[in-house]
Amino acid sequence: MLGNLTFMDLSRNNLIGDFTEEHFTSLTRLKVLRLGRNSLRLTFGLDWIPPFSLEVADLGSSQLGPSFPAWLQSQVDIWLMDISSTVIVDRLPDWFNTTFAKVRYLDISNNEISGRLPRNMEFMSMENFFINSNKLTGEIPNLPRNITTLDLSGNSLSGNLPSNIGITYLSSLWLRSNQITGRIPKSLCKVEALNSLDLSNNLLEGQLPQCFGVMDIGFLMLSNNRFSGNFPSFLKRLRQLKSLDLSHNSFSGRLPLWIGELAELRFLGLNHNTFSGEIPPTISNLSHLRHLNLAGNGLSGAIPWHMSNITAMIGMDKSNYENELFFDGYLGTFHTLDFSSAVIKGRELNYSSGIWDLVSIDLSFNQLTGVIPEEIAALDALINLNLSWNQLSGKIPNKIGALQALESLDLSRSMLSGGIPSSLSDITYLSYLDLSDNNLTGRIPSGRQLDTLYTQQPSMYSGNSGLCGFPLPISCPGKNATRKDDQKRNEHSFEPMTFYFGLALGFILCLWVVFCILLFKKAWRTAYFCMVDKTYDQMYVFSVLTWKSWARK
């Protein structure tokens, strides 16, 4: 009945139930409708024509589907619309371009929209377009000329990148997890405002355009493609680069010393390429680095010293990392930019969010030699440390127990020697440990944490013939035996005091049993005393006769 109502915002509550045509009968002046982030269902007839003409429609996370809402066709004045996660299972309607010609912000993500994108999108006014996580197919058409943020991730789009990509005002382009082929066009270098580029999980190939160096990219994510060539030299000029993911490609050659000059790096993923040579010692200059993954290459030499210079891996301070999120000024929300994978707890896990919180070093599956630097124990914010499948030697750092945030530690399949530091049992959050296939010796430290881990993963000590003590069946010899070894050995040893105490207790118990029986059984008592008297007489006669026989002799 609020006939003068122009602005209604019920978003981000816990409302449930249906919104029907009757709710809007008198709302002829309504311009802004915000119902998003509730559990509402909007049930309108296919031929319903709203009495209002909206400019803003925030309906995200409501139920509008399964059909694309036909009543939106009359809303030609809309400039902001969010119908993400609204259970739409349909194609984009034919009137999409004309009705939404004035839309500057459009979010249709997380539905099941299929088919192709409209061909004449370049004449639309869109600046921010989110249609990720749907089922779109076909090629990407020419983009709207004013587009600044475009997210087409998580579809099945194919073909090359659009030809007019260089004449846009793009600042964020996210095409992750599609089937895009070909090379990155040099025209993309004309987009000088480009700050975030995610082309990961596609079928792109060739070398990266050197002209990328003229841009001010902060996030460059190109993993899981077919890119090749040496480590891109243009990266040296990207001093504002915060995230670099080139993993799962065919890059080769040596890592340059100037990589330590990328001072703003938070995430560095170069795993599963064919890089060779040593790890640049300057990598320890990346003080903001929180995630380092160089696994699955052909790197050799020693692990760099001075790892304690990576101060972002020390302590639990997560401040100054707000730039890892894309702030949506229209809706006042954030879009996460992080999407990557990490081998943690023996499995490769994909992270659609939260990769920035996973403080991790993964140098596994290389040819690294030398010892594990003692300074690595200073990185007490580490959650994952994986140095497996290398040729590392020497001892495990004694202070490794200082890594109190550590949840996964994999030092397997190297040539480590010496004992297992007792401080390992002090790591409270440790839920995965693998020390197998090394040359470790001595007794295994005791502690509930390690004992629990062994029950979950019995192979964590295997391949170390010199290890002994609980929980292994091999006892430690001599003075090196653990307390639990002594207990197991004492279970089978003879103790005189225990034996005599048990003998006396059994004798007394049996005597009382006999007394009780004789007390309550008269017939048994009579027979017992008769037997005693008879036995006494026989012994007396035998003794007298024997004595007289000896006396005669």
Side-chain angles (χ1 to χ4, degrees), residues 4-268:
N4 294 323
L5 191 67
T6 60
F7 185 102
M8 181 167 68
D9 188 353
L10 302 177
S11 62
R12 293 172 174 78
N13 282 288
N14 296 314
L15 299 175
I16 58 175
D18 294 346
F19 259 92
T20 63
E21 301 170 10
E22 297 179 358
H23 286 95
F24 299 99
T25 302
S26 301
L27 304 185
T28 57
R29 299 186 181 183
L30 192 63
K31 297 296 181 184
V32 177
L33 176 62
R34 293 182 180 271
L35 304 176
R37 280 64 185 173
N38 284 287
S39 298
L40 298 171
R41 183 168 56 247
L42 278 66
T43 54
F44 304 136
L46 294 177
D47 57 349
W48 180 62
I49 300 178
F52 47 71
S53 181
L54 293 176
E55 296 177 359
V56 174
D58 176 12
L59 307 175
S61 299
S62 302
Q63 183 174 339
L64 300 180
S67 300
F68 198 94
W71 62 271
L72 288 174
Q73 184 175 1
S74 63
Q75 306 301 298
V76 295
D77 294 325
I78 283 185
W79 66 269
L80 184 151
M81 184 171 71
D82 182 359
I83 52 173
S84 62
S85 304
T86 50
V87 203
I88 297 176
V89 185
D90 202 353
R91 293 172 174 262
L92 294 177
D94 296 336
W95 43 265
F96 181 85
N97 285 8
T98 55
T99 298
F100 302 135
K102 298 180 181 179
V103 170
R104 301 200 301 271
Y105 180 100
L106 180 59
D107 190 348
I108 321 179
S109 61
N110 294 295
N111 286 290
E112 295 187 36
I113 296 174
S114 57
R116 294 172 175 265
L117 289 169
R119 290 190 175 277
N120 52 350
M121 290 180 60
E122 59 183 315
F123 301 108
M124 300 180 70
S125 302
M126 274 192 296
E127 298 174 3
N128 298 271
F129 187 27
F130 303 91
I131 194 169
N132 51 295
S133 301
N134 281 282
K135 296 182 177 180
L136 295 172
T137 56
E139 297 184 356
I140 302 174
N142 286 339
L143 303 177
R145 298 177 183 271
N146 296 323
I147 195 76
T148 59
T149 302
L150 177 63
D151 191 351
L152 301 176
S153 303
N155 286 284
S156 298
L157 297 168
S158 57
N160 298 332
L161 293 173
S163 58
N164 75 332
I165 197 169
I167 60 174
T168 60
Y169 298 95
L170 274 171
S171 62
S172 300
L173 176 60
W174 306 323
L175 304 178
R176 178 183 63 246
S177 299
N178 281 285
Q179 300 172 19
I180 300 171
T181 56
R183 296 170 177 260
I184 297 178
K186 292 183 179 180
S187 59
L188 188 60
C189 298
K190 298 178 181 179
V191 189
E192 297 182 0
L194 191 62
N195 177 262
S196 176
L197 178 62
D198 188 352
L199 302 177
S200 56
N201 296 316
N202 280 286
L203 303 173
L204 294 165
E205 59 186 7
Q207 298 188 6
L208 304 182
Q210 290 296 318
C211 57
F212 268 17
V214 302
M215 297 184 290
D216 194 19
I217 296 181
F219 303 89
L220 184 60
M221 291 159 278
L222 306 175
S223 64
N224 285 286
N225 280 284
R226 301 171 181 174
F227 294 120
S228 58
N230 293 331
F231 190 80
S233 59
F234 67 82
L235 293 173
K236 184 177 182 180
R237 299 190 291 272
L238 302 182
R239 297 304 175 90
Q240 298 303 314
L241 192 62
K242 294 180 174 64
S243 176
L244 176 62
D245 192 353
L246 304 180
S247 61
H248 294 275
N249 281 287
S250 298
F251 290 105
S252 58
R254 293 175 172 268
L255 299 179
L257 286 173
W258 52 258
I259 198 172
E261 300 176 11
L262 303 177
E264 296 298 321
L265 267 182
R266 273 76 163 160
F267 181 98
L268 179 59

Side-chain angles (χ1 to χ4, degrees), residues 23 40 102 107 202 238 272 297 330 409-410 482 518 544:
H23 286 95
L40 298 171
K102 298 180 181 179
D107 190 348
N202 280 286
L238 302 182
H272 295 93
N297 285 284
Y330 288 102
L409 176 62
D410 193 346
T482 63
L518 296 179
V544 171

Side-chain angles (χ1 to χ4, degrees), residues 405-507:
L406 203 62
E407 297 180 15
S408 176
L409 176 62
D410 193 346
L411 304 179
S412 63
R413 295 167 179 83
S414 281
M415 296 186 293
L416 299 173
S417 58
I420 300 175
S422 58
S423 61
L424 265 180
S425 60
D426 299 330
I427 305 178
T428 308
Y429 297 107
L430 192 64
S431 56
Y432 181 86
L433 175 65
D434 193 351
L435 303 177
S436 61
D437 297 305
N438 282 285
N439 298 317
L440 299 173
T441 58
R443 64 174 179 266
I444 295 175
S446 60
R448 288 186 177 180
Q449 189 74 5
L450 296 182
D451 295 347
T452 302
L453 291 178
Y454 182 80
T455 59
Q456 298 171 353
Q457 187 189 356
S459 63
M460 57 189 272
Y461 299 125
S462 64
N464 294 281
S465 57
L467 289 178
C468 61
F470 185 85
L472 298 180
I474 304 173
S475 299
C476 295
K479 297 181 179 180
N480 293 325
T482 63
R483 182 179 301 176
K484 292 192 175 182
D485 293 329
D486 293 337
Q487 291 176 353
K488 291 177 66 176
R489 197 162 49 243
N490 290 339
E491 289 176 1
H492 305 286
S493 62
F494 175 77
E495 295 187 7
M497 291 299 297
T498 305
F499 173 76
Y500 292 135
F501 178 77
L503 186 64
L505 185 63
F507 177 77

Side-chain angles (χ1 to χ4, degrees), residues 254-257 259 268 276-284 292 294-295 297-305 307 361-364 366-369 387 390:
R254 293 175 172 268
L255 299 179
L257 286 173
I259 198 172
L268 179 59
S276 58
E278 298 184 353
I279 300 175
T282 54
I283 208 166
S284 60
L292 174 63
L294 304 179
N297 285 284
L299 299 172
S300 56
I303 298 175
W305 295 86
M307 297 292 284
I361 294 179
D362 190 346
L363 306 179
S364 60
N366 282 288
Q367 301 170 21
L368 300 176
T369 56
L387 305 179
N390 280 288

